[in-house]
Amino acid sequence: MMTYSTYKAKSVKQKDLSDLVQLNDHGRKIVNYSAKSHIPIHTNNFWLVITGVVKLIAKSPNGGDIVVGIVGKNQTIGAQQINQATTSTVAMTDTELLYVSMAEIENCRALALVIIESLSTNCRQSQELAYLLGLHRVKERVQAFLQFLANECGELCSDGQKINIKITHQEIANTLSTTRVTISNTISILKDEGWLLVNPKRLFIISSTKESDVLRLEFDDKYRGGLQSLKTF
């Protein structure tokens, strides 16, 4: 569902991407999308994410949704970033987006530079997702994907690193090219090992207990080592 509200420059922190947009004295409307809403992408404009998280999804051969990117606060979504023939954008949480035209980008060097940074984030995410799909063991793929989500849209909490979005076992299965049953069994194993927790709101938490820290460090060394080999600059 889409709604509108008025957006004022003074309500934005200095480092927020939206603070770089030329806002008039009357403010402008931002668009509010509820969780699970499809977000339209138009040529010659970008959406700036003010709050919330948006996923980029593509359809698998069997019709399932594959997560191919995550867009969070201060990042952009635009026709230049995705293949609209194969990829769509869906709000994972209630989301506020601000419309920015190409004309504004052309007239604001700082805004253009931050959008370039957001495009670079898209490239990095694509590399990370491609790498984790190459991991042979499903358990390692699940760990890598959950760590990817935690890095992109997580926060530290008393129990570890909380992933601030809800994602189903089926979505994880589609993205990692396996079955929902396999994902459910793997998540149960990670929970039994203490690597993974689930809070009362059904959000995943990568645990920070002493035992899970050892498991995570062993995994991170292997995972990050593989990603390091992908870097070309």
Side-chain angles (χ1 to χ4, degrees):
M1 184 177 68
M2 179 178 67
T3 60
Y4 296 90
S5 61
T6 301
Y7 183 77
K8 296 287 187 178
K10 64 181 181 181
S11 67
V12 184
K13 293 181 180 179
Q14 184 177 0
K15 292 185 179 180
D16 283 353
L17 180 60
S18 50
D19 192 44
L20 299 173
V21 182
Q22 303 301 312
L23 298 175
N24 58 47
D25 293 337
H26 302 290
R28 68 166 72 194
K29 288 182 177 179
I30 62 173
V31 184
N32 296 269
Y33 288 95
S34 57
K36 300 183 180 180
S37 297
H38 283 261
I39 298 170
I41 300 297
H42 304 292
T43 306
N44 297 325
N45 82 280
F46 282 88
W47 289 114
L48 306 185
V49 179
I50 308 303
T51 61
V53 179
V54 176
K55 63 182 175 181
L56 309 180
I57 57 173
K59 288 293 183 182
S60 67
N62 62 8
D65 290 340
I66 302 173
V67 177
V68 295
I70 299 290
V71 184
K73 182 179 179 180
N74 295 341
Q75 293 181 302
T76 63
I77 316 166
Q80 296 81 356
Q81 294 171 261
I82 65 173
N83 181 345
Q84 294 188 75
T86 59
T87 307
S88 58
T89 53
V90 178
M92 299 190 79
T93 64
D94 291 343
T95 303
E96 294 181 321
L97 304 176
L98 178 66
Y99 173 93
V100 181
S101 68
M102 288 299 295
E104 288 175 303
I105 297 169
E106 291 170 359
N107 293 323
C108 181
R109 180 176 179 273
L111 178 60
L113 290 174
V114 179
I115 287 181
I116 290 173
E117 182 178 342
S118 187
L119 291 171
S120 298
T121 298
N122 293 146
C123 293
R124 174 184 57 75
Q125 288 185 358
S126 295
Q127 284 189 325
E128 293 196 14
L129 288 169
Y131 172 76
L132 66 86
L133 283 173
L135 296 172
H136 294 298
R137 296 177 60 197
V138 173
K139 180 182 174 183
E140 290 184 346
R141 265 183 273 162
V142 173
Q143 285 179 292
F145 184 63
L146 293 176
Q147 188 65 65
F148 167 82
L149 293 177
N151 293 341
E152 297 301 322
C153 50
E155 65 178 2
L156 295 177
C157 65
S158 59
D159 294 319
Q161 194 173 8
K162 181 174 65 176
I163 300 172
N164 286 323
I165 54 172
K166 290 182 180 180
I167 187 165
T168 67
H169 291 190
Q170 186 63 61
E171 286 179 300
I172 297 174
N174 292 340
T175 301
L176 300 183
S177 299
T178 186
T179 66
R180 183 189 59 76
V181 172
T182 299
I183 294 299
S184 297
N185 290 339
T186 303
I187 286 176
S188 293
I189 291 171
L190 292 174
K191 288 165 65 177
D192 290 341
E193 292 179 345
W195 191 89
L196 189 66
L197 304 173
V198 179
N199 73 6
K201 294 184 178 180
R202 302 184 64 80
L203 295 175
F204 289 125
I205 298 173
I206 298 177
S207 174
S208 62
T209 64
K210 183 176 180 180
E211 293 78 9
S212 65
D213 282 346
V214 172
L215 292 171
R216 187 168 64 253
L217 286 172
E218 291 176 352
F219 166 72
D220 283 351
D221 286 343
K222 182 186 298 185
Y223 176 51
R224 293 301 172 189
L227 286 178
Q228 191 69 26
S229 67
L230 293 175
K231 293 184 177 179
T232 57
F233 56 90

